[in-house]
Amino acid sequence: MTFNDRSTPLDLLRSRRSGRARDMVAPGPDAATLHDMVGIAARTPDHGKLAPWRFVVIPDDARDAFATLLVDAYRAEKPAAARLEIEAMAQFARQAPTLVAVLSTPKHESHIPLWEQQLSAGAVCMNLEHAAHAHGFVACWLSGWAAYSAAVCTALGGREGDRIAGFVFIGTPSRALEERPRPDLDSVMREWRG
Ligand SMILES: Cc1cc2nc3c(=O)[nH]c(=O)nc-3n(C[C@H](O)[C@H](O)[C@H](O)COP(=O)(O)O)c2cc1C
């Protein structure tokens, strides 16, 4: 099963894998395709119909500003940061043709447990990856330092209690994707009879 086996819905699900964000090249999805992907991602189980997540698209012409945001936030937290660390922040912000930050935005006033709302945000990221694959692109869900920075979350529109679920990078792989070892099902699946 290779990454390009997408001829049936099951093949599509079986063949998805992540690419390395820094190896992704153009083309990425155009605006209409990205819109469709986000629509698919938003068809995610969501207890209470709260939509406790937000998609923040960081377009090409905002990547430099995003790099500046990460570098400034990193320096503010780590004043002694080395040049290589700073460069890594800027490189993270600029990789891949398309970047969508997914925010977990739980409704704290709701009776739906926070955990369930956060799980839904994770499921959104996964659905976005499947949608990217179905459209013929590769995706990668990354966190990294930036996902845990309150300053970055706030700059992306996050409010008190919101978190960055991940940065989903999307593009075209510049090299053949390698499969990674998958868990042996016997080690992660069992029957329970009490
Ligand atoms: C919440 C979350 C955060 C992740 N952050 C990173 C990361 O910062 N760096 C990284 O190399 N992989 C990260 N990964 C793993 C990749 O997204 C991906 O799962 C991994 O490369 C294997 O790819 P595949 O199983 O989708 O083929 C993260 C995964 C999740 C679920």
Side-chain angles (χ1 to χ4, degrees):
M1 176 73 45
T2 74
F3 181 70
N4 290 318
D5 288 329
R6 300 184 178 93
S7 46
T8 69
L10 288 176
D11 283 347
L12 185 83
L13 294 170
R14 288 188 190 108
S15 61
R16 187 212 61 81
R17 65 191 65 164
S18 297
R20 280 154 58 115
R22 62 175 173 270
D23 290 343
M24 290 178 198
V25 294
D30 60 21
T33 306
L34 182 59
H35 200 260
D36 186 59
M37 286 180 191
V38 171
I40 292 168
R43 291 182 65 86
T44 284
D46 160 16
H47 192 177
K49 296 193 268 302
L50 300 172
W53 16 261
R54 292 292 179 270
F55 302 89
V56 183
V57 179
I58 303 169
D60 261 3
D61 61 3
R63 291 298 190 96
D64 285 346
F66 186 54
T68 302
L69 167 68
L70 297 200
V71 166
D72 289 351
Y74 194 80
R75 277 212 179 100
E77 197 173 299
K78 298 172 189 273
R83 185 177 56 83
L84 284 180
E85 293 171 65
I86 297 296
E87 284 174 10
M89 285 298 127
Q91 188 268 339
F92 182 90
R94 293 198 177 100
Q95 60 195 347
T98 299
L99 170 56
V100 182
V102 178
L103 303 188
S104 160
T105 59
K107 311 292 182 283
H108 295 277
E109 68 282 8
S110 168
H111 68 284
I112 304 295
L114 175 65
W115 168 235
E116 296 188 19
Q117 298 190 49
Q118 291 174 329
L119 284 174
S120 183
V124 156
C125 295
M126 183 71 254
N127 238 4
L128 183 58
E129 293 207 314
H130 276 303
H133 183 47
H135 269 291
F137 297 99
V138 68
C140 190
W141 174 2
L142 298 182
S143 50
W145 177 87
Y148 295 92
S149 162
V152 173
C153 186
T154 301
L156 292 175
R159 299 189 180 169
E160 183 77 27
D162 293 352
R163 301 190 67 170
I164 296 172
F167 297 100
V168 180
F169 292 89
I170 303 169
T172 299
S174 59
R175 59 177 79 174
L177 299 179
E178 282 169 25
E179 181 54 313
R180 70 170 173 92
R182 300 289 166 179
D184 168 17
L185 283 194
D186 288 340
S187 68
V188 295
M189 176 183 180
R190 65 186 171 92
E191 289 183 349
W192 182 88
R193 292 199 175 83

